[in-house]
Amino acid sequence: MKALVVDAAASKMTVAAKNDDLKTTLSLDLGQKQSQKLLPAIDFVLGEVGLASSDLDYTALTNGPGTFTGLRLAFSALKAIELAHNVPIYGIPTLDAYAFPFKEFDGLVVSVIDAKKDQFFAAIYENGKTIAEAEDTTAENVVKKLDKNKKILLAGADALIFKEELKKINSDLNLTAFESQPSPTDSLFTLAEKMIEEKKDPLADYDGPVYLRKSEAEIKLESRK
């Protein structure tokens, strides 16, 4: 299939395109400059596999939780392609995408994004099934949900940060976190095509990012009332 996928939910933005057996992936860890680089990155990966946006069978993205700016950027870019060429968009929960490569792991998988201010977006999985839904939480609350007798693998770009936080709370936890994580875009290709095979609906026109936290602007507005 011919596809374009974007993960902009965490600090590192990853964009990938595939044209049947050809695939190109580009990761950007540029802070605020990422907002300027997404569209050129999309043009680059499409060009590397010999595609134009009008050739695509589908696009997919991590639809949250994640950073407000990153999620909005990804949605805006893929919505533009959808409007121009009627290309369906498939939304994959961010933490599901990060945990997916470890679905065969013999233990618990904690998928995590650093949400700043001592908070994390986290979900827990076992045998490929969600056992604790995604929430905006603390390391202390996650520890309460873990079975200390099981191996625990941490997934996502911020896994190492979360590992250090968990160790401060309980140094006896059997924790594993890899310095190099699998590309989330590989998961997006697989999960989106599974949705297509199962005839699940793509995102509707009114669908947007899934936020677990109010924006800074919303918080400030509420504090003034």
Side-chain angles (χ1 to χ4, degrees):
M1 298 186 79
K2 298 169 173 48
L4 168 71
V5 297
V6 178
D7 170 45
S11 57
K12 181 185 293 185
M13 179 182 293
T14 308
V15 183
K18 74 168 190 173
N19 185 356
D20 297 325
D21 293 333
L22 294 176
K23 182 175 70 174
T24 295
T25 304
L26 179 65
S27 293
L28 303 172
D29 198 359
L30 302 172
Q32 294 182 349
K33 289 185 179 180
Q34 289 179 166
S35 62
Q36 306 165 23
K37 299 297 184 179
L38 178 56
L39 295 182
I42 288 173
D43 288 340
F44 174 79
V45 295
L46 288 174
E48 287 297 297
V49 295
L51 292 176
S53 55
S54 58
D55 299 323
L56 296 170
D57 296 311
Y58 72 88
T59 66
L61 45 65
T62 45
N63 64 351
T67 67
F68 287 92
T69 300
L71 292 175
R72 286 196 297 265
L73 284 170
F75 266 84
S76 296
L78 298 193
K79 287 280 188 182
I81 293 173
E82 178 189 37
L83 288 171
H85 306 295
N86 197 31
V87 178
I89 307 171
Y90 289 87
I92 310 297
T94 306
L95 299 176
D96 289 2
Y98 295 173
F100 180 74
F102 308 108
K103 61 186 182 298
E104 302 297 332
F105 178 72
D106 181 22
L108 302 178
V109 176
V110 181
S111 187
V112 63
I113 297 171
D114 185 359
K116 310 304 181 184
K117 299 183 178 179
D118 297 322
Q119 295 284 121
F120 295 86
F121 300 129
I124 304 174
Y125 306 80
E126 187 171 17
N127 299 321
K129 305 294 184 183
T130 305
I131 62 171
E133 297 287 344
E135 60 180 339
D136 183 1
T137 188
T138 63
E140 289 86 352
N141 286 336
V142 172
V143 167
K144 294 175 184 177
K145 298 180 180 182
L146 297 175
D147 184 338
K148 284 71 173 180
N149 297 314
K150 294 183 177 180
K151 293 183 288 185
I152 302 164
L153 188 149
L154 307 178
D158 298 319
L160 291 175
I161 295 172
F162 198 57
K163 180 181 180 181
E164 293 306 310
E165 293 301 313
L166 295 182
K167 286 171 62 178
K168 293 176 187 176
I169 300 164
N170 187 338
S171 60
D172 293 329
L173 291 172
N174 185 357
L175 300 172
T176 298
F178 300 115
E179 289 192 18
S180 179
Q181 293 283 323
S183 174
T185 52
D186 289 342
S187 296
L188 292 178
F189 285 127
T190 301
L191 292 169
E193 290 178 21
K194 182 179 179 183
M195 292 178 70
I196 293 170
E197 182 180 342
E198 295 174 351
K199 302 188 184 305
K200 293 185 177 180
D201 292 333
L203 294 176
D205 291 342
Y206 53 80
D207 285 328
V210 175
Y211 297 124
L212 295 184
R213 176 183 297 181
K214 293 179 180 179
S215 68
E216 292 292 335
E218 289 173 312
I219 294 171
K220 289 179 181 178
L221 182 61
E222 288 183 356
S223 67
R224 293 171 184 166
K225 292 181 179 179

